Amino acid sequence: MVNLKPLKIMIVDDEPDIVNLLETVLLKEGFLHIYHAYSGISAIERCREVKPDAIILDVMLPDMDGFTLCKQIRQFSLCPIFFLSARDDDKIVGLALGGDDYITKPFSPKEVAYRIKAHLRRSLVYSRQSEREPCVFGNVQIDEQRGEVRKDGALVPLTAKEFQLLVYLAKHPSRIFNKSELYEAVWGESLLSGYDNTVMVHIHHLREKLEHDPANPRLILTVRGLGYKLLPQDESR
């Protein structure tokens, strides 16, 4: 059993009623450390201060939209971000910018709590299973235990989902995965119609950060009509 009590959750929303409702449910579900922020600026300061393990982020804030805030947080934190929004058609944007989940209003507070618990449990289990030597693929080194990726020795900043996607591919070198398989493995749910662009966007970002020539990748390859695969060290040179 994974102990969730020490984990810190930050709620960013300008509606006190929603914040109080989410806090009440999260406390009942075993999270003891809940923090609040009611604007984008205060959320950045709070996030740097408390270093939360997960953030519930409303897309509509008084001083900046949640997508802009997400991009700023991703400059210094990889903690999971769960978007809240009344617009379902913004889901691809949220996930592409580094969000880990997208929940449409009106929502069930318990569903939010359960999604966070499931995500954090998976993350904790993965971290416990990752006590092994870093994986090396050509000039790219993946250290799952430290949560680090290096290219030619230099640290490469990745979002949480980019890192999880890369690690999943690295655990199965040369194996081809289609978009649905990758989405289910990394995002933890079945790929819905209209959202298959999410995996493609994350693959594109990984190539931009890791490949010498993203237009002609040698590490993460597209197998036409089948999906994607990551080449082992001796093949990626």
Side-chain angles (χ1 to χ4, degrees):
M1 172 85 64
V2 176
N3 182 16
L4 300 176
K5 291 182 179 180
L7 302 181
K8 296 173 286 188
I9 310 297
M10 187 170 79
I11 306 170
V12 185
D13 198 306
D14 63 335
E15 297 185 44
D17 289 344
I18 291 180
V19 172
N20 294 335
L21 180 61
L22 286 170
E23 180 178 18
T24 299
V25 173
L26 288 168
L27 288 171
K28 288 182 179 179
E29 292 299 322
F31 294 100
L32 300 183
H33 305 285
I34 313 295
Y35 301 87
H36 315 133
Y38 298 95
S39 68
I41 297 298
S42 61
I44 293 172
E45 296 174 354
R46 198 70 163 143
C47 188
R48 290 185 183 276
E49 175 189 352
V50 305
K51 297 179 175 59
D53 295 289
I55 299 174
I56 302 172
L57 174 56
D58 187 22
V59 170
M60 299 300 295
L61 296 171
D63 54 346
M64 70 175 73
D65 65 80
F67 299 138
T68 300
L69 177 56
C70 176
K71 288 192 290 186
Q72 295 192 27
I73 290 175
R74 280 290 173 254
Q75 295 177 13
F76 62 89
S77 173
L78 294 178
C79 77
I81 293 178
F82 298 78
F83 280 112
L84 298 179
S85 175
R87 293 171 53 90
D88 187 62
D89 54 352
D90 281 338
K91 181 173 182 178
I92 293 177
V93 177
L95 296 175
L97 289 174
D100 295 86
D101 204 346
Y102 190 99
I103 302 164
T104 305
K105 295 180 179 179
F107 58 85
S108 162
K110 278 196 172 184
E111 178 188 356
V112 177
Y114 291 159
R115 289 194 184 204
I116 292 174
K117 289 171 75 171
H119 182 94
L120 293 177
R121 281 189 176 123
R122 286 197 300 269
S123 298
L124 290 171
V125 169
Y126 289 157
S127 66
R128 290 176 180 178
Q129 294 175 342
S130 65
E131 296 182 2
R132 53 178 173 270
E133 292 298 315
C135 297
V136 178
F137 294 85
N139 64 327
V140 175
Q141 183 184 69
I142 307 167
D143 191 331
E144 187 180 1
Q145 186 173 1
R146 292 178 177 270
E148 294 181 350
V149 175
R150 294 181 180 273
K151 175 185 175 183
D152 296 323
L155 192 64
V156 179
L158 300 181
T159 68
K161 279 293 181 260
E162 288 168 358
F163 181 76
Q164 291 170 18
L165 178 57
L166 181 63
V167 167
Y168 188 76
L169 288 169
K171 287 181 176 179
H172 308 87
S174 295
R175 178 175 168 182
I176 301 171
F177 292 96
N178 61 39
K179 293 177 184 178
S180 296
E181 291 170 327
L182 291 174
Y183 193 87
E184 186 169 349
V186 176
W187 278 265
E189 58 185 13
S190 298
L191 183 63
L192 301 176
S193 176
Y195 297 127
D196 58 342
N197 191 48
T198 301
V199 173
M200 186 171 63
V201 168
H202 281 72
I203 292 288
H204 176 72
H205 289 168
L206 284 173
R207 285 172 173 165
E208 286 187 324
K209 295 177 180 181
L210 299 177
E211 302 276 4
H212 283 310
D213 182 4
N216 297 286
R218 301 187 64 183
L219 178 66
I220 304 174
L221 301 189
T222 299
V223 182
R224 189 177 298 276
L226 296 177
Y228 303 100
K229 69 176 180 178
L230 189 146
L231 292 184
Q233 181 180 6
D234 56 345
E235 297 180 41
S236 59
R237 291 175 178 174

PDB file of all heavy atoms in Angstrom, residues 206-234:
ATOM      1  N   LEU A 206       9.753  15.522 -27.891  1.00  0.00           N
ATOM      2  CA  LEU A 206      10.914  14.712 -27.522  1.00  0.00           C
ATOM      3  C   LEU A 206      11.983  14.772 -28.612  1.00  0.00           C
ATOM      4  O   LEU A 206      13.184  14.883 -28.313  1.00  0.00           O
ATOM      5  CB  LEU A 206      10.496  13.264 -27.267  1.00  0.00           C
ATOM      6  CG  LEU A 206       9.796  12.979 -25.938  1.00  0.00           C
ATOM      7  CD1 LEU A 206       9.291  11.535 -25.899  1.00  0.00           C
ATOM      8  CD2 LEU A 206      10.737  13.228 -24.767  1.00  0.00           C
ATOM      9  N   ARG A 207      11.568  14.688 -29.854  1.00  0.00           N
ATOM     10  CA  ARG A 207      12.530  14.749 -30.955  1.00  0.00           C
ATOM     11  C   ARG A 207      13.229  16.112 -30.993  1.00  0.00           C
ATOM     12  O   ARG A 207      14.441  16.188 -31.223  1.00  0.00           O
ATOM     13  CB  ARG A 207      11.827  14.483 -32.280  1.00  0.00           C
ATOM     14  CG  ARG A 207      11.484  13.016 -32.484  1.00  0.00           C
ATOM     15  CD  ARG A 207      10.617  12.827 -33.708  1.00  0.00           C
ATOM     16  NE  ARG A 207      10.419  11.406 -34.025  1.00  0.00           N
ATOM     17  CZ  ARG A 207       9.499  10.942 -34.837  1.00  0.00           C
ATOM     18  NH1 ARG A 207       8.653  11.793 -35.429  1.00  0.00           N
ATOM     19  NH2 ARG A 207       9.388   9.657 -35.073  1.00  0.00           N
ATOM     20  N   GLU A 208      12.472  17.186 -30.760  1.00  0.00           N
ATOM     21  CA  GLU A 208      13.074  18.514 -30.762  1.00  0.00           C
ATOM     22  C   GLU A 208      14.139  18.644 -29.680  1.00  0.00           C
ATOM     23  O   GLU A 208      15.137  19.344 -29.861  1.00  0.00           O
ATOM     24  CB  GLU A 208      11.996  19.582 -30.562  1.00  0.00           C
ATOM     25  CG  GLU A 208      11.111  19.816 -31.779  1.00  0.00           C
ATOM     26  CD  GLU A 208      10.178  20.991 -31.573  1.00  0.00           C
ATOM     27  OE1 GLU A 208       9.704  21.184 -30.436  1.00  0.00           O
ATOM     28  OE2 GLU A 208       9.939  21.725 -32.549  1.00  0.00           O
ATOM     29  N   LYS A 209      13.923  17.966 -28.561  1.00  0.00           N
ATOM     30  CA  LYS A 209      14.842  18.099 -27.431  1.00  0.00           C
ATOM     31  C   LYS A 209      16.003  17.104 -27.476  1.00  0.00           C
ATOM     32  O   LYS A 209      17.073  17.378 -26.904  1.00  0.00           O
ATOM     33  CB  LYS A 209      14.069  17.929 -26.116  1.00  0.00           C
ATOM     34  CG  LYS A 209      13.043  19.027 -25.869  1.00  0.00           C
ATOM     35  CD  LYS A 209      12.251  18.778 -24.591  1.00  0.00           C
ATOM     36  CE  LYS A 209      11.227  19.884 -24.360  1.00  0.00           C
ATOM     37  NZ  LYS A 209      10.453  19.682 -23.107  1.00  0.00           N
ATOM     38  N   LEU A 210      15.821  15.959 -28.145  1.00  0.00           N
ATOM     39  CA  LEU A 210      16.811  14.886 -28.052  1.00  0.00           C
ATOM     40  C   LEU A 210      17.535  14.576 -29.355  1.00  0.00           C
ATOM     41  O   LEU A 210      18.656  14.061 -29.324  1.00  0.00           O
ATOM     42  CB  LEU A 210      16.133  13.602 -27.541  1.00  0.00           C
ATOM     43  CG  LEU A 210      15.501  13.686 -26.149  1.00  0.00           C
ATOM     44  CD1 LEU A 210      14.802  12.370 -25.820  1.00  0.00           C
ATOM     45  CD2 LEU A 210      16.534  14.019 -25.094  1.00  0.00           C
ATOM     46  N   GLU A 211      16.915  14.851 -30.477  1.00  0.00           N
ATOM     47  CA  GLU A 211      17.531  14.498 -31.759  1.00  0.00           C
ATOM     48  C   GLU A 211      18.438  15.636 -32.244  1.00  0.00           C
ATOM     49  O   GLU A 211      18.131  16.814 -32.072  1.00  0.00           O
ATOM     50  CB  GLU A 211      16.453  14.239 -32.812  1.00  0.00           C
ATOM     51  CG  GLU A 211      15.462  13.138 -32.463  1.00  0.00           C
ATOM     52  CD  GLU A 211      15.978  11.748 -32.815  1.00  0.00           C
ATOM     53  OE1 GLU A 211      17.139  11.637 -33.269  1.00  0.00           O
ATOM     54  OE2 GLU A 211      15.204  10.786 -32.648  1.00  0.00           O
ATOM     55  N   HIS A 212      19.555  15.282 -32.890  1.00  0.00           N
ATOM     56  CA  HIS A 212      20.394  16.295 -33.526  1.00  0.00           C
ATOM     57  C   HIS A 212      19.657  16.933 -34.695  1.00  0.00           C
ATOM     58  O   HIS A 212      19.751  18.135 -34.926  1.00  0.00           O
ATOM     59  CB  HIS A 212      21.708  15.665 -34.014  1.00  0.00           C
ATOM     60  CG  HIS A 212      22.696  15.424 -32.915  1.00  0.00           C
ATOM     61  ND1 HIS A 212      23.053  16.397 -32.008  1.00  0.00           N
ATOM     62  CD2 HIS A 212      23.397  14.312 -32.579  1.00  0.00           C
ATOM     63  CE1 HIS A 212      23.949  15.912 -31.156  1.00  0.00           C
ATOM     64  NE2 HIS A 212      24.160  14.642 -31.477  1.00  0.00           N
ATOM     65  N   ASP A 213      18.904  16.129 -35.424  1.00  0.00           N
ATOM     66  CA  ASP A 213      18.111  16.618 -36.555  1.00  0.00           C
ATOM     67  C   ASP A 213      16.689  16.083 -36.385  1.00  0.00           C
ATOM     68  O   ASP A 213      16.373  14.976 -36.848  1.00  0.00           O
ATOM     69  CB  ASP A 213      18.713  16.151 -37.881  1.00  0.00           C
ATOM     70  CG  ASP A 213      17.945  16.667 -39.086  1.00  0.00           C
ATOM     71  OD1 ASP A 213      16.990  17.449 -38.897  1.00  0.00           O
ATOM     72  OD2 ASP A 213      18.296  16.278 -40.224  1.00  0.00           O
ATOM     73  N   PRO A 214      15.797  16.832 -35.716  1.00  0.00           N
ATOM     74  CA  PRO A 214      14.443  16.344 -35.441  1.00  0.00           C
ATOM     75  C   PRO A 214      13.668  15.941 -36.691  1.00  0.00           C
ATOM     76  O   PRO A 214      12.800  15.067 -36.619  1.00  0.00           O
ATOM     77  CB  PRO A 214      13.775  17.540 -34.746  1.00  0.00           C
ATOM     78  CG  PRO A 214      14.902  18.313 -34.158  1.00  0.00           C
ATOM     79  CD  PRO A 214      16.037  18.168 -35.130  1.00  0.00           C
ATOM     80  N   ALA A 215      13.980  16.557 -37.827  1.00  0.00           N
ATOM     81  CA  ALA A 215      13.274  16.223 -39.060  1.00  0.00           C
ATOM     82  C   ALA A 215      13.687  14.863 -39.605  1.00  0.00           C
ATOM     83  O   ALA A 215      12.958  14.249 -40.394  1.00  0.00           O
ATOM     84  CB  ALA A 215      13.525  17.299 -40.115  1.00  0.00           C
ATOM     85  N   ASN A 216      14.870  14.403 -39.183  1.00  0.00           N
ATOM     86  CA  ASN A 216      15.364  13.083 -39.593  1.00  0.00           C
ATOM     87  C   ASN A 216      15.810  12.314 -38.345  1.00  0.00           C
ATOM     88  O   ASN A 216      17.008  12.122 -38.110  1.00  0.00           O
ATOM     89  CB  ASN A 216      16.529  13.236 -40.582  1.00  0.00           C
ATOM     90  CG  ASN A 216      16.114  13.923 -41.855  1.00  0.00           C
ATOM     91  OD1 ASN A 216      15.446  13.335 -42.692  1.00  0.00           O
ATOM     92  ND2 ASN A 216      16.521  15.185 -42.002  1.00  0.00           N
ATOM     93  N   PRO A 217      14.855  11.895 -37.531  1.00  0.00           N
ATOM     94  CA  PRO A 217      15.186  11.271 -36.248  1.00  0.00           C
ATOM     95  C   PRO A 217      15.924   9.947 -36.396  1.00  0.00           C
ATOM     96  O   PRO A 217      15.672   9.181 -37.327  1.00  0.00           O
ATOM     97  CB  PRO A 217      13.817  11.059 -35.598  1.00  0.00           C
ATOM     98  CG  PRO A 217      12.859  10.984 -36.745  1.00  0.00           C
ATOM     99  CD  PRO A 217      13.405  11.928 -37.778  1.00  0.00           C
ATOM    100  N   ARG A 218      16.835   9.706 -35.444  1.00  0.00           N
ATOM    101  CA  ARG A 218      17.572   8.436 -35.413  1.00  0.00           C
ATOM    102  C   ARG A 218      17.356   7.704 -34.094  1.00  0.00           C
ATOM    103  O   ARG A 218      17.833   6.591 -33.927  1.00  0.00           O
ATOM    104  CB  ARG A 218      19.062   8.705 -35.623  1.00  0.00           C
ATOM    105  CG  ARG A 218      19.377   9.413 -36.943  1.00  0.00           C
ATOM    106  CD  ARG A 218      20.851   9.507 -37.183  1.00  0.00           C
ATOM    107  NE  ARG A 218      21.455   8.184 -37.343  1.00  0.00           N
ATOM    108  CZ  ARG A 218      22.769   7.982 -37.515  1.00  0.00           C
ATOM    109  NH1 ARG A 218      23.592   9.013 -37.515  1.00  0.00           N
ATOM    110  NH2 ARG A 218      23.237   6.759 -37.665  1.00  0.00           N
ATOM    111  N   LEU A 219      16.664   8.358 -33.157  1.00  0.00           N
ATOM    112  CA  LEU A 219      16.417   7.737 -31.852  1.00  0.00           C
ATOM    113  C   LEU A 219      14.972   7.238 -31.755  1.00  0.00           C
ATOM    114  O   LEU A 219      14.732   6.053 -31.536  1.00  0.00           O
ATOM    115  CB  LEU A 219      16.698   8.746 -30.737  1.00  0.00           C
ATOM    116  CG  LEU A 219      16.439   8.263 -29.314  1.00  0.00           C
ATOM    117  CD1 LEU A 219      17.404   7.136 -28.937  1.00  0.00           C
ATOM    118  CD2 LEU A 219      16.569   9.422 -28.322  1.00  0.00           C
ATOM    119  N   ILE A 220      14.024   8.134 -31.938  1.00  0.00           N
ATOM    120  CA  ILE A 220      12.604   7.774 -31.889  1.00  0.00           C
ATOM    121  C   ILE A 220      12.069   7.790 -33.320  1.00  0.00           C
ATOM    122  O   ILE A 220      11.910   8.855 -33.921  1.00  0.00           O
ATOM    123  CB  ILE A 220      11.808   8.748 -31.007  1.00  0.00           C
ATOM    124  CG1 ILE A 220      12.411   8.814 -29.598  1.00  0.00           C
ATOM    125  CG2 ILE A 220      10.347   8.329 -30.926  1.00  0.00           C
ATOM    126  CD1 ILE A 220      11.773   9.865 -28.710  1.00  0.00           C
ATOM    127  N   LEU A 221      11.799   6.624 -33.834  1.00  0.00           N
ATOM    128  CA  LEU A 221      11.421   6.505 -35.246  1.00  0.00           C
ATOM    129  C   LEU A 221       9.919   6.288 -35.415  1.00  0.00           C
ATOM    130  O   LEU A 221       9.260   5.686 -34.567  1.00  0.00           O
ATOM    131  CB  LEU A 221      12.167   5.341 -35.898  1.00  0.00           C
ATOM    132  CG  LEU A 221      13.695   5.384 -35.882  1.00  0.00           C
ATOM    133  CD1 LEU A 221      14.247   4.272 -36.754  1.00  0.00           C
ATOM    134  CD2 LEU A 221      14.214   6.738 -36.339  1.00  0.00           C
ATOM    135  N   THR A 222       9.412   6.776 -36.536  1.00  0.00           N
ATOM    136  CA  THR A 222       8.034   6.494 -36.946  1.00  0.00           C
ATOM    137  C   THR A 222       8.046   5.325 -37.928  1.00  0.00           C
ATOM    138  O   THR A 222       8.781   5.352 -38.914  1.00  0.00           O
ATOM    139  CB  THR A 222       7.407   7.722 -37.635  1.00  0.00           C
ATOM    140  OG1 THR A 222       7.379   8.811 -36.722  1.00  0.00           O
ATOM    141  CG2 THR A 222       5.988   7.399 -38.090  1.00  0.00           C
ATOM    142  N   VAL A 223       7.282   4.318 -37.617  1.00  0.00           N
ATOM    143  CA  VAL A 223       7.122   3.187 -38.529  1.00  0.00           C
ATOM    144  C   VAL A 223       5.780   3.375 -39.219  1.00  0.00           C
ATOM    145  O   VAL A 223       4.720   3.229 -38.599  1.00  0.00           O
ATOM    146  CB  VAL A 223       7.171   1.838 -37.779  1.00  0.00           C
ATOM    147  CG1 VAL A 223       7.045   0.681 -38.769  1.00  0.00           C
ATOM    148  CG2 VAL A 223       8.457   1.723 -36.977  1.00  0.00           C
ATOM    149  N   ARG A 224       5.820   3.748 -40.478  1.00  0.00           N
ATOM    150  CA  ARG A 224       4.621   4.168 -41.192  1.00  0.00           C
ATOM    151  C   ARG A 224       3.504   3.132 -41.100  1.00  0.00           C
ATOM    152  O   ARG A 224       3.703   1.953 -41.379  1.00  0.00           O
ATOM    153  CB  ARG A 224       4.963   4.434 -42.661  1.00  0.00           C
ATOM    154  CG  ARG A 224       3.826   5.099 -43.454  1.00  0.00           C
ATOM    155  CD  ARG A 224       4.265   5.388 -44.874  1.00  0.00           C
ATOM    156  NE  ARG A 224       5.387   6.315 -44.904  1.00  0.00           N
ATOM    157  CZ  ARG A 224       5.255   7.635 -44.855  1.00  0.00           C
ATOM    158  NH1 ARG A 224       4.052   8.166 -44.749  1.00  0.00           N
ATOM    159  NH2 ARG A 224       6.320   8.413 -44.918  1.00  0.00           N
ATOM    160  N   GLY A 225       2.348   3.602 -40.674  1.00  0.00           N
ATOM    161  CA  GLY A 225       1.174   2.747 -40.581  1.00  0.00           C
ATOM    162  C   GLY A 225       1.120   1.895 -39.330  1.00  0.00           C
ATOM    163  O   GLY A 225       0.118   1.216 -39.089  1.00  0.00           O
ATOM    164  N   LEU A 226       2.189   1.924 -38.505  1.00  0.00           N
ATOM    165  CA  LEU A 226       2.235   1.063 -37.315  1.00  0.00           C
ATOM    166  C   LEU A 226       2.379   1.838 -36.011  1.00  0.00           C
ATOM    167  O   LEU A 226       1.700   1.542 -35.035  1.00  0.00           O
ATOM    168  CB  LEU A 226       3.382   0.052 -37.450  1.00  0.00           C
ATOM    169  CG  LEU A 226       3.259  -0.955 -38.592  1.00  0.00           C
ATOM    170  CD1 LEU A 226       4.496  -1.845 -38.646  1.00  0.00           C
ATOM    171  CD2 LEU A 226       2.003  -1.812 -38.426  1.00  0.00           C
ATOM    172  N   GLY A 227       3.293   2.804 -35.968  1.00  0.00           N
ATOM    173  CA  GLY A 227       3.472   3.549 -34.732  1.00  0.00           C
ATOM    174  C   GLY A 227       4.888   4.059 -34.558  1.00  0.00           C
ATOM    175  O   GLY A 227       5.539   4.466 -35.518  1.00  0.00           O
ATOM    176  N   TYR A 228       5.386   4.000 -33.313  1.00  0.00           N
ATOM    177  CA  TYR A 228       6.700   4.541 -32.975  1.00  0.00           C
ATOM    178  C   TYR A 228       7.546   3.492 -32.260  1.00  0.00           C
ATOM    179  O   TYR A 228       7.020   2.596 -31.599  1.00  0.00           O
ATOM    180  CB  TYR A 228       6.555   5.756 -32.053  1.00  0.00           C
ATOM    181  CG  TYR A 228       5.699   6.858 -32.605  1.00  0.00           C
ATOM    182  CD1 TYR A 228       4.367   6.999 -32.203  1.00  0.00           C
ATOM    183  CD2 TYR A 228       6.205   7.770 -33.517  1.00  0.00           C
ATOM    184  CE1 TYR A 228       3.569   8.014 -32.703  1.00  0.00           C
ATOM    185  CE2 TYR A 228       5.414   8.796 -34.021  1.00  0.00           C
ATOM    186  CZ  TYR A 228       4.098   8.911 -33.613  1.00  0.00           C
ATOM    187  OH  TYR A 228       3.317   9.908 -34.111  1.00  0.00           O
ATOM    188  N   LYS A 229       8.860   3.653 -32.371  1.00  0.00           N
ATOM    189  CA  LYS A 229       9.768   2.797 -31.617  1.00  0.00           C
ATOM    190  C   LYS A 229      11.029   3.580 -31.284  1.00  0.00           C
ATOM    191  O   LYS A 229      11.400   4.534 -31.970  1.00  0.00           O
ATOM    192  CB  LYS A 229      10.129   1.535 -32.394  1.00  0.00           C
ATOM    193  CG  LYS A 229      11.000   1.758 -33.627  1.00  0.00           C
ATOM    194  CD  LYS A 229      11.376   0.421 -34.269  1.00  0.00           C
ATOM    195  CE  LYS A 229      12.256   0.612 -35.504  1.00  0.00           C
ATOM    196  NZ  LYS A 229      12.649  -0.691 -36.100  1.00  0.00           N
ATOM    197  N   LEU A 230      11.696   3.161 -30.209  1.00  0.00           N
ATOM    198  CA  LEU A 230      12.948   3.764 -29.790  1.00  0.00           C
ATOM    199  C   LEU A 230      14.066   2.764 -30.055  1.00  0.00           C
ATOM    200  O   LEU A 230      13.979   1.607 -29.635  1.00  0.00           O
ATOM    201  CB  LEU A 230      12.891   4.141 -28.306  1.00  0.00           C
ATOM    202  CG  LEU A 230      14.046   4.974 -27.771  1.00  0.00           C
ATOM    203  CD1 LEU A 230      13.558   5.934 -26.686  1.00  0.00           C
ATOM    204  CD2 LEU A 230      15.140   4.085 -27.178  1.00  0.00           C
ATOM    205  N   LEU A 231      15.105   3.203 -30.753  1.00  0.00           N
ATOM    206  CA  LEU A 231      16.184   2.301 -31.138  1.00  0.00           C
ATOM    207  C   LEU A 231      17.184   2.113 -30.016  1.00  0.00           C
ATOM    208  O   LEU A 231      17.534   3.073 -29.323  1.00  0.00           O
ATOM    209  CB  LEU A 231      16.914   2.838 -32.366  1.00  0.00           C
ATOM    210  CG  LEU A 231      16.140   2.861 -33.681  1.00  0.00           C
ATOM    211  CD1 LEU A 231      17.059   3.333 -34.801  1.00  0.00           C
ATOM    212  CD2 LEU A 231      15.594   1.480 -34.005  1.00  0.00           C
ATOM    213  N   PRO A 232      17.684   0.896 -29.820  1.00  0.00           N
ATOM    214  CA  PRO A 232      18.731   0.672 -28.819  1.00  0.00           C
ATOM    215  C   PRO A 232      20.037   1.347 -29.226  1.00  0.00           C
ATOM    216  O   PRO A 232      20.187   1.841 -30.346  1.00  0.00           O
ATOM    217  CB  PRO A 232      18.882  -0.845 -28.777  1.00  0.00           C
ATOM    218  CG  PRO A 232      18.177  -1.362 -29.957  1.00  0.00           C
ATOM    219  CD  PRO A 232      17.236  -0.324 -30.458  1.00  0.00           C
ATOM    220  N   GLN A 233      21.015   1.349 -28.296  1.00  0.00           N
ATOM    221  CA  GLN A 233      22.230   2.119 -28.464  1.00  0.00           C
ATOM    222  C   GLN A 233      22.970   1.794 -29.751  1.00  0.00           C
ATOM    223  O   GLN A 233      23.350   2.679 -30.505  1.00  0.00           O
ATOM    224  CB  GLN A 233      23.159   1.883 -27.270  1.00  0.00           C
ATOM    225  CG  GLN A 233      24.461   2.669 -27.342  1.00  0.00           C
ATOM    226  CD  GLN A 233      25.339   2.396 -26.146  1.00  0.00           C
ATOM    227  OE1 GLN A 233      25.037   1.543 -25.330  1.00  0.00           O
ATOM    228  NE2 GLN A 233      26.429   3.115 -26.037  1.00  0.00           N
ATOM    229  N   ASP A 234      23.153   0.520 -30.032  1.00  0.00           N
ATOM    230  CA  ASP A 234      23.978   0.153 -31.187  1.00  0.00           C
ATOM    231  C   ASP A 234      23.295   0.454 -32.513  1.00  0.00           C
ATOM    232  O   ASP A 234      23.933   0.572 -33.546  1.00  0.00           O
ATOM    233  CB  ASP A 234      24.348  -1.330 -31.127  1.00  0.00           C
ATOM    234  CG  ASP A 234      23.118  -2.229 -31.034  1.00  0.00           C
ATOM    235  OD1 ASP A 234      22.047  -1.707 -30.729  1.00  0.00           O
ATOM    236  OD2 ASP A 234      23.271  -3.435 -31.248  1.00  0.00           O
TER     237      ASP A 234
END
